[in-house]
Amino acid sequence: MSYHLPLVQHIQFIFDLMEYSLNISGLIDFAIQLLNELSLVEAELLLKSSSLVGSYTTSLCLCIVAVLRRYHSCLILNPEQTAQVFDGLRIVVKSGVNPADCSSAERCILAYLYDLYTSCSHLKNKFGEIFSEFCSKVKNSIYCNIDPSDSNMLWDPAFMMDTISNPSANNNHSMVGKILNDSPANRYSFVCNVLMEVCVDHGDPERVNDIGILCAELTAYCRSLSAEWLGILKALCCSSNNGNCGFNDLLCNVDVSDLSFHDSLATFVAILIARQCLLLEDLVRCVAIPSLLNA
């Protein structure tokens, strides 16, 4: 009997192999089996006072949700499997996760729970009594439409640059999120410094990925950042709009006609959307359509 947990990356590799072999049915079955074991793994980690408590099972669950989202149309063809997935995810977050104050991975799990529940009538019939109230909380926290910020505050070019320069080193996202939540000026400086890093120093795709994940984690604990991301993206895409979109400090330092950073910016935005920091419909409504109309 093994006493070592497999790395999340190794399980992800198995997912990839099954996907490459087109064994989608087996992939979904395997994901459900893993999901059913997560609560037992977490209980064992708690029993052993492991440093992996709260992180290992959540990270693995995020990978499982990614697989299930990719093959969502296959999953919902089987009501029994759909119910197993829903119940498994519900058990993972049953310990009172607050949708307004949780990690990025937990937000992704909650968002998929919400999508399953609202799209499958048999889940509403089976789990309505125990989930309907919590479903409303998820909707109000994750699926509420936001309007873009048009901030123009005093910019601190050095604010949190140590963290942005080494995004994988900081793990105290809850504390940093509170610092950002308490100060609009801090949020303004942070998003400007992040976008400066993505748009100006954009040579390393892995670094852009790490910055995106950092921003997703901080946004999970500071929901006000969502309006800042939306606002600064609108400012970049609608920069010809006579400076009415705010974030002039960024626009003075970034040449929006430079095509070389567009891939990095697209990667960054895709991470924010995938990690539930931005709704795609908000991005289309507030950024894409105004930009096209201006053009």
Side-chain angles (χ1 to χ4, degrees):
M1 179 177 177
S2 172
Y3 291 93
H4 298 280
L5 287 170
L7 295 176
V8 173
Q9 298 94 310
H10 293 170
I11 296 176
Q12 181 65 61
F13 181 62
I14 295 174
F15 286 161
D16 292 342
L17 289 177
M18 297 181 77
E19 187 175 9
Y20 293 150
S21 66
L22 301 181
N23 185 10
I24 307 307
S25 176
L27 177 60
I28 292 174
D29 284 340
F30 180 47
I32 292 173
Q33 288 175 32
L34 287 175
L35 193 56
N36 291 335
E37 297 293 331
L38 287 185
S39 59
L40 299 177
V41 172
E42 185 68 12
E44 192 68 22
L45 291 174
L46 279 167
L47 188 64
K48 297 180 181 300
S49 301
S50 170
S51 60
L52 296 176
V53 169
S55 61
Y56 178 83
T57 53
T58 304
S59 298
L60 181 52
C61 193
L62 179 63
C63 291
I64 293 171
V65 165
V67 167
L68 296 174
R69 269 203 181 278
R70 184 175 179 86
Y71 297 104
H72 179 74
S73 57
C74 299
L75 172 67
I76 60 175
L77 293 175
N78 188 322
E80 184 180 343
Q81 283 189 326
T82 307
Q84 287 179 330
V85 166
F86 184 87
D87 200 35
L89 293 175
R90 185 185 62 82
I91 290 172
V92 169
V93 297
K94 72 176 181 179
S95 55
V97 171
N98 179 2
D101 183 25
C102 60
S103 71
S104 168
E106 288 168 333
R107 284 178 68 86
C108 291
I109 297 168
L110 292 172
Y112 191 57
L113 264 174
Y114 176 87
D115 289 346
L116 281 174
Y117 184 78
T118 53
S119 61
C120 300
S121 58
H122 64 91
L123 294 181
K124 292 181 180 179
N125 293 333
K126 186 171 183 178
F127 298 101
E129 279 190 33
I130 57 178
F131 191 75
S132 59
E133 184 177 345
F134 188 68
C135 179
S136 299
K137 293 180 181 179
V138 175
K139 180 180 179 180
N140 293 334
S141 177
I142 298 178
Y143 282 99
C144 58
N145 290 112
I146 58 173
D147 293 317
S149 167
D150 57 358
S151 300
N152 261 325
M153 299 190 177
L154 183 63
W155 176 40
D156 179 0
F159 180 72
M160 282 186 64
M161 279 308 300
D162 288 344
T163 300
I164 297 169
S165 299
N166 192 7
S168 57
N170 190 307
N171 292 317
N172 199 345
H173 300 126
S174 178
M175 185 187 75
V176 178
K178 186 177 187 309
I179 293 172
L180 293 170
N181 199 49
D182 291 343
S183 171
N186 284 346
R187 293 197 295 273
Y188 175 80
S189 293
F190 176 67
V191 297
C192 284
N193 290 342
V194 165
L195 266 293
M196 282 283 293
E197 199 75 8
V198 170
C199 296
V200 177
D201 185 19
H202 53 82
D204 184 359
E206 282 198 28
R207 178 170 164 68
V208 173
N209 184 71
D210 289 343
I211 292 174
I213 292 173
L214 167 71
C215 293
E217 292 297 343
L218 294 179
T219 305
Y221 290 104
C222 176
R223 190 57 179 160
S224 300
L225 274 175
S226 292
E228 301 295 325
W229 297 127
L230 201 58
I232 204 166
L233 291 172
K234 181 178 180 181
L236 281 172
C237 294
C238 305
S239 56
S240 60
N241 195 17
N242 300 318
N244 293 332
C245 296
F247 301 95
N248 291 342
D249 291 300
L250 178 72
L251 298 180
C252 288
N253 287 276
V254 172
D255 179 8
V256 295
S257 64
D258 179 7
L259 301 182
S260 66
F261 70 80
H262 286 194
D263 285 348
S264 296
L265 182 61
T267 298
F268 178 77
V269 174
I271 291 171
L272 293 185
I273 294 172
R275 290 295 187 105
Q276 307 298 323
C277 300
L278 295 175
L279 294 181
L280 183 58
E281 50 264 44
D282 283 342
L283 191 72
V284 172
R285 172 177 61 90
C286 301
V287 178
I289 291 177
S291 176
L292 291 171
L293 290 176
N294 281 346

